[in-house]
Amino acid sequence: DAQESRGLGDVYKRQVTGAAGSGKTTLLKAAKHVGAVKGVEQVIVTPTAKAAEVAAAETGSSASTVHALLRAYGYRWETDKATGVTRWQRLNPGEGDYQGVPEGRRLGPGVQVVVDETGMLSQDVAARLFTVLHETGARAVLTGDYQQLGAVGRGGGLQMAEHATEASVDLGTVHRVLNPVYASPVSYT
């Protein structure tokens, strides 16, 4: 619906893409320090718990799954086992098990939310995330790798977001891998 699909242009400001080892995490660490000087907090959300754990350890920022953030903002979902269709609902404080956004999860204009591994998010999840960012005034930085695994469900978010950004950078050089054979970009087309 219209309320759920709003937001990308309102909150989306930057996109950083590149292969594994190209420097995305190093750039996020630098951005965290620059943001801290300006009074901006960096929060990282990822599609998986393991990625959130690694992001927190590597950057020192708080990190969680996108689903954990959506749950903190009242979203609930259930997948019908027979059809595979996921039904979403959003609770108000006091409904069901939802008591409102916990203090440590509140976003606002002074928060930059880094959406790591963006290409792995389904459009349904991304739309709800951008609704939360729009409502709170938080800004988004999307990171990802076009060669990475895609979303389970309707994907393409990283590619679509490229058209709504103020700035996009593709980190084309792999730094983590020193052997030139392994550091060469791989194309699967």
Side-chain angles (χ1 to χ4, degrees):
D1 65 28
Q3 182 178 358
E4 295 300 333
S5 64
R6 119 171 53 117
L8 187 60
D10 297 339
V11 301
Y12 178 57
K13 298 298 180 189
R14 308 280 184 267
Q15 176 169 307
V16 179
T17 58
S22 63
K24 295 183 301 286
T25 302
T26 300
L27 190 60
L28 293 180
K29 287 189 250 185
K32 177 187 178 183
H33 293 293
V34 170
V37 169
K38 295 180 175 187
V40 176
E41 176 188 4
Q42 183 182 78
V43 172
I44 300 174
V45 293
T46 68
T48 67
K50 182 63 177 174
E53 182 182 312
V54 170
E58 291 286 323
T59 65
S61 294
S62 65
S64 72
T65 65
V66 174
H67 285 82
L69 181 68
L70 293 177
R71 187 166 180 75
Y73 277 84
Y75 283 100
R76 302 295 184 267
W77 54 92
E78 183 177 329
T79 302
D80 184 303
K81 292 179 184 175
T83 65
V85 173
T86 299
R87 290 182 182 80
W88 289 82
Q89 68 176 3
R90 190 164 186 195
L91 303 177
N92 292 310
E95 291 181 336
D97 65 346
Y98 184 56
Q99 299 307 310
V101 181
E103 185 67 39
R105 299 305 305 253
R106 292 193 180 132
L107 303 176
V111 178
Q112 175 179 276
V113 178
V114 175
V115 185
D116 197 17
E117 300 180 2
T118 304
M120 293 179 70
L121 295 182
S122 72
Q123 290 179 22
D124 291 337
V125 171
R128 283 155 179 89
L129 173 63
F130 281 104
T131 295
V132 167
L133 297 176
H134 173 78
E135 291 171 356
T136 62
R139 297 289 181 230
V141 173
L142 307 183
T143 69
D145 177 353
Y146 288 115
Q147 299 298 327
Q148 189 172 36
L149 291 172
V152 175
R154 291 178 299 167
L158 192 60
Q159 292 84 348
M160 290 185 312
E162 192 170 1
H163 301 289
T165 183
E166 290 179 0
S168 181
V169 62
D170 184 44
L171 305 174
T173 303
V174 175
H175 301 281
R176 185 184 313 151
V177 181
L178 299 178
N179 183 326
V181 173
Y182 295 111
S184 300
V186 176
S187 177
Y188 297 99
T189 57

